[in-house]
Amino acid sequence: MLRYIARRVIQMIGVMFALSLLIFCWLRLLPGGTVSAMLGERATPERAAQLRKTLGLDQPLPVQYWTFLKNAAQGQFGVSSQVQPGTDAMQVFLNRLPATMELAAFAIILALITAIPLGYLAAKRRGGFFDTLGILGSLVGVAVPVFFLAIMLRQYFSVEWHLLPLTGRQSVEATRVTGFFVFDGLITREFDAAWDALKHLILPAIALATIPFAIIFRITRAAVLDVLDEDFVRTAEAKGLTNNVIRRRHVLRNAMLPVVTTIGLQVGGLLTGAVLTETVFSIPGLGDAMKVGFENKDYSVVQVLIVMAALTYVVVNLLVDIAYAYIDPRVRIR
Amino acid sequence: MTTALAVVGSAALVLSGCAESKRESTDNTSGAAGASNATMTFAAAGAPSTFDPFYASDGETFRISRQIFDTLVAFKPGTADMEPGLATSWTPSADGKTWTFKLRTGVKFTDGTPFNADAACKNFERMDKQNDAGQSAAGYWADNMGGFNKSKDDLYQGCTAKGDDTIELKLLRPTSKFPALLGLPSWSMQSPTAMDKGKANDVKAQGDGITQSEYASKMPTGTGAFKFEKYDVQNKTITLVRNDNYWGDKAKIGKLVFKIISDGTSRKQALLAGEVDGYDLPSPVDWPSLKSAGMNLEVRPAFNILYLGLNPSKTPALKDVRVRQALAYGINREQFVKTQLPEGAEVATQWYPKTVDGFSDSVEKYPYDPNKARDLLKQAGQSNLTIDFWYPSEVSRPYMPDPLKVYQAIKSDWEKIGIKVNAVTKPWNGGYLDGTKAGQAPAFLLGWTGDYNTPDNFIANFFSNKSMGIEAYPWGADFRKNMSDNDSIVDPAKRTAAYKTLSDKIMKEYMPGVPISHSPPAIVFGKNISGIVASPLTAEDFATAVKK
């Protein structure tokens, strides 16, 4: 088992190494660069050359890459030049992570608590008005661009009706503990602050939850329809069990398997969707950092974001594989 | 989805009572007109690059700096003209190389350190003494002073305290930059005590950026109308509070919050929703709707220029002055300004706006005349000219709200005089700026917003680098000498006259490119905000804001 884990860890390091090389070359081969972004219109060639020299960007690419690797091995990815200028890029990542996680968590909860009951209801009333409406709604949910929906939500709920805040994460003074604003408000008993943070999450979470909602709704509906046709449901009905018991014990439990798989896939998609949602709602999360970083050639921040995303993916995969190997010894031998 | 929206919408409606009560309570704290503890929230388009303005060159940083710091020289509200700041008067020596500044007395930095001659000289010495990373980061000093550490190109040669309220600044040579230059936020007077404590000069290159000092990130200390309170990076807000010991008129609001909203539509919606009290550079397309919604849209006097650069080193046909003149006659600038630019925009007749000393009324004009343009091209033997025309993508500048539209207008006009135009478009920071500055573009669009009221601040930026290929012309060296000589004239009246002559010469004989327009940028505030004077230098003082 230990040998298997060691082999997988070495593979993982190889993957990360290849990935870092790819990111490094790709960013540096893009036109423009951090120097022109930092100097703007006032960039004289002399000043640009001086800044390039100061930052070591006048060195050959292999030398730059070696310096990058040495620093990265110590957890140093450089300093942000645009997203949060002058701040360690890893610190920028850590500052931004809670906003994205909070938004994604809220969006997936919103999608689940609406899509599963509605999907179940649509299946139960198959072909009826509610079912048709649900199918149409889910189609629109997938088809409408997130940014358009976001702008519409803001226009009505914030600008016209003044019901919900439009940008940012919080409008009131609050104590920061973990960076998860709702949670911070609860643990510090600043309930006003928690409530305020929650209100800031509603519109972006709706925008972000739209696609997962539509997909989970469709899968739930289809899965429930399949289960409803099964003999064991008819048997349960014949036995005279209550609808509640049939729904919980027989239908939902069996229908949830494909739904759970879909939810897993959607969580990954949420982080991608956050780029757009965070930009539109001006939420300082990882998505917003990625956009500002790319636009302004903030290599340090972009590198950290990609490397951390890749590392998370690779580590999760490794853990899953180790778990498989533990459960099924044949995997270790292969 | 519809159902989901309805569910959440209903929930939001139920919650709305709380949302409204919160809004009411915020308004209540605003107080009445005049001095109050009201909070004004201003939407910023981006994060400030630092809170130490010496290392900055971006507008978002300078806007915040101007509220925290004072400079020796200030600008009269609503103009680009100088007025006393922390210095009450200034006098140059006969050779223009020594400047004596009389300082305001009884002023203190917000940490209690007195502002005096010693503090002012410590500021200048600190600015000049920079390590490699500091020299790279201090763009304004590098561009305007020419060098660091009293090097041979360094305009700054020393500061001497003459008593408690007088300083003497020594320069390498006389320059028109002085003393207006000292009104820029980069030359803000900062507390020497706080700078020492926060190791303000301790910056170094790391990866692709330059680290900030503790001073710059946590403790910027000036003598201004507001004090820095905090930068909440997790909520993208910067909070300043009123400096109750301010030497001048105290701020009329108690708190000033900058909320970073990078998306333009979001800034507009946030203002309309009452979430922020103002934002800068609203798109001209939005001006009518903002006005009709009752917002206070302040249009600044145009202190900028959009120009068409030409570079003969890339397209040799451009070396002939008749071709360059034909290109100018061939652009219908009047129609472009009327149809594409905001109200108040003007056709540029020369390379700086008319409020700049040195503006000449007698320059050669180039009204739209396609026949004359065709004739000139024929005379030059260039009736079938082809030009690669560069314009930037993904950007909007105060002098150029929509680069694509400028390109399309010029292309259409040029095609009418028989010129074939090939479009080359690149992202602003993805090759456009680098390429044009390196002289790779035969024809291109660029512009400039003035820092202060001198012709040198405009033309030296356009013609001193490779972008216009001035060195390829036979008169290139003369032109550069002219610019440098004029900049060194000590007597203001003589200097103005010399710049007028130069402006005439540029437009009649040199014609190195085509000045196109001056567009007034705007700044917008909510219905309940008044008292802010729009500045052509974008140097608005928020301390005069009144929130009702």
Side-chain angles (χ1 to χ4, degrees), chain B residues 93-176:
Chain B
S93 61
D95 65 359
K97 290 202 241 176
T98 305
W99 284 79
T100 306
F101 291 85
K102 201 87 184 154
L103 306 180
R104 201 173 287 281
T105 52
V107 177
K108 281 190 174 175
F109 291 100
T110 50
D111 64 349
T113 305
F115 169 73
N116 51 27
D118 191 40
C121 279
K122 277 185 179 160
N123 266 275
F124 283 105
E125 289 298 304
R126 173 258 169 161
M127 292 179 207
D128 191 47
K129 276 188 188 137
Q130 289 293 314
N131 60 24
D132 277 353
Q135 291 184 24
S136 292
Y140 263 64
W141 184 281
D143 289 345
N144 289 287
M145 290 293 190
F148 290 86
N149 304 328
K150 298 189 178 68
S151 63
K152 67 179 172 53
D153 299 323
D154 192 355
L155 196 56
Y156 171 83
Q157 292 296 305
C159 176
T160 314
K162 300 273 179 186
D164 210 34
D165 63 349
T166 307
I167 59 164
E168 209 175 73
L169 286 179
K170 289 246 186 255
L171 303 181
L172 184 69
R173 52 181 154 67
T175 173
S176 66

Side-chain angles (χ1 to χ4, degrees), chain B residues 22-44:
Chain B
K22 185 81 215 163
R23 200 160 274 118
E24 279 163 21
S25 75
T26 310
D27 287 346
N28 286 340
T29 58
S30 302
S36 73
N37 286 326
T39 298
M40 184 172 98
T41 306
F42 190 84

Side-chain angles (χ1 to χ4, degrees), chain B residues 83 103 110 128 224 256 321 338 348-349 368 448 457 461 472 534 536:
Chain B
E83 69 169 11
L103 306 180
T110 50
D128 191 47
L256 178 57
V321 70
K338 209 182 289 173
T349 58
Y368 181 53
W448 181 259
N457 186 246
N461 282 301

Side-chain angles (χ1 to χ4, degrees), chain A residues 21-40:
Chain A
L21 184 64
L22 198 72
I23 298 164
F24 183 86
C25 294
W26 174 51
L27 285 175
R28 273 147 188 86
L29 292 174
L30 288 173
T34 191
V35 169
S36 62
M38 282 168 86
L39 298 179

Side-chain angles (χ1 to χ4, degrees), chain A residues 237-289:
Chain A
E237 280 168 352
K239 275 161 59 183
L241 293 176
T242 63
N243 277 342
N244 196 24
V245 172
I246 295 171
R247 184 171 66 231
R248 277 191 294 113
R249 286 201 195 152
H250 298 282
V251 182
L252 277 178
R253 184 173 288 182
N254 285 291
M256 277 304 100
L257 281 172
V259 175
V260 169
T261 313
T262 310
I263 294 168
L265 293 171
Q266 289 305 308
V267 170
L270 276 179
L271 295 175
T272 321
V275 175
L276 206 57
T277 315
E278 286 177 5
T279 305
V280 174
F281 288 97
S282 195
I283 295 168
L286 298 176
D288 179 69

Side-chain angles (χ1 to χ4, degrees), chain B residues 528-548:
Chain B
N528 53 349
I529 299 286
S530 59
I532 297 174
V533 182
S535 155
L537 304 168
T538 66
E540 286 80 20
D541 180 5
F542 288 176
T544 60
V546 175
K547 185 170 181 178
K548 283 181 189 156

Side-chain angles (χ1 to χ4, degrees), chain B residues 250-478:
Chain B
K250 292 182 184 46
K252 291 185 171 138
I253 47 171
K255 200 181 264 190
L256 178 57
V257 176
F258 292 92
K259 185 170 186 177
I260 301 158
I261 305 178
S262 53
D263 177 60
T265 312
S266 300
R267 286 196 293 279
K268 182 187 162 193
Q269 287 188 316
L271 177 68
L272 294 171
E275 203 168 276
V276 300
D277 296 307
Y279 70 96
D280 200 1
L281 299 178
S283 166
V285 179
D286 293 330
W287 289 14
S289 64
L290 287 166
K291 276 190 205 165
S292 64
M295 301 296 143
N296 291 321
L297 186 94
E298 304 282 346
V299 179
R300 299 174 168 124
F303 198 63
N304 59 29
I305 186 167
L306 164 66
Y307 64 87
L308 168 80
L310 298 171
N311 191 330
S313 60
K314 286 287 152 191
T315 301
L318 293 171
K319 277 189 182 162
D320 191 326
V321 70
R322 290 170 299 186
V323 173
R324 301 197 301 276
Q325 287 171 330
L327 296 179
Y329 281 121
I331 302 174
N332 194 343
R333 291 178 294 165
E334 289 78 8
Q335 191 188 30
F336 167 73
V337 166
K338 209 182 289 173
T339 57
Q340 308 281 353
L341 295 182
E343 195 185 319
E346 289 178 357
V347 169
T349 58
Q350 51 208 290
W351 292 84
Y352 24 83
K354 62 183 161 203
T355 44
V356 173
D357 296 329
F359 181 89
S360 168
D361 291 320
S362 56
V363 291
E364 182 89 12
K365 307 279 195 310
Y366 291 84
Y368 181 53
D369 191 341
N371 291 329
K372 196 166 182 176
R374 272 189 288 266
D375 283 349
L376 283 165
L377 286 173
K378 205 172 166 187
Q379 285 169 32
Q382 295 293 346
S383 297
N384 297 311
L385 184 64
T386 299
I387 292 183
D388 287 345
F389 192 127
W390 286 39
Y391 70 94
S393 60
E394 304 166 19
V395 78
S396 171
R397 309 298 299 161
Y399 48 80
M400 179 169 56
D402 189 340
L404 174 64
K405 282 189 177 168
V406 190
Y407 161 74
Q408 285 170 336
I410 295 177
K411 177 181 189 273
S412 158
D413 287 342
W414 278 0
E415 282 174 348
K416 286 176 198 152
I417 57 171
I419 294 171
K420 188 168 179 252
V421 180
N422 295 328
V424 179
T425 184
K426 289 171 189 281
W428 185 247
N429 282 327
Y432 189 81
L433 273 180
D434 280 352
T436 51
K437 296 273 178 183
Q440 292 169 1
F444 59 94
L445 297 172
L446 265 184
W448 181 259
T449 298
D451 292 320
Y452 43 85
N453 191 352
T454 73
D456 182 74
N457 186 246
F458 284 81
I459 57 175
N461 282 301
F462 310 148
F463 303 118
S464 295
N465 58 41
K466 285 185 175 171
S467 63
M468 297 272 221
I470 297 300
E471 66 282 354
Y473 295 113
W475 41 262
D478 286 347

Side-chain angles (χ1 to χ4, degrees), chain A residues 41 54 85 154 166-167 176, chain B residues 136 232 266 269 275 397 399:
Chain A
E41 275 133 305
T54 306
R154 287 188 329 196
L166 187 141
T167 57
R176 305 264 183 267
Chain B
S136 292
D232 183 349
S266 300
Q269 287 188 316
E275 203 168 276
R397 309 298 299 161
Y399 48 80

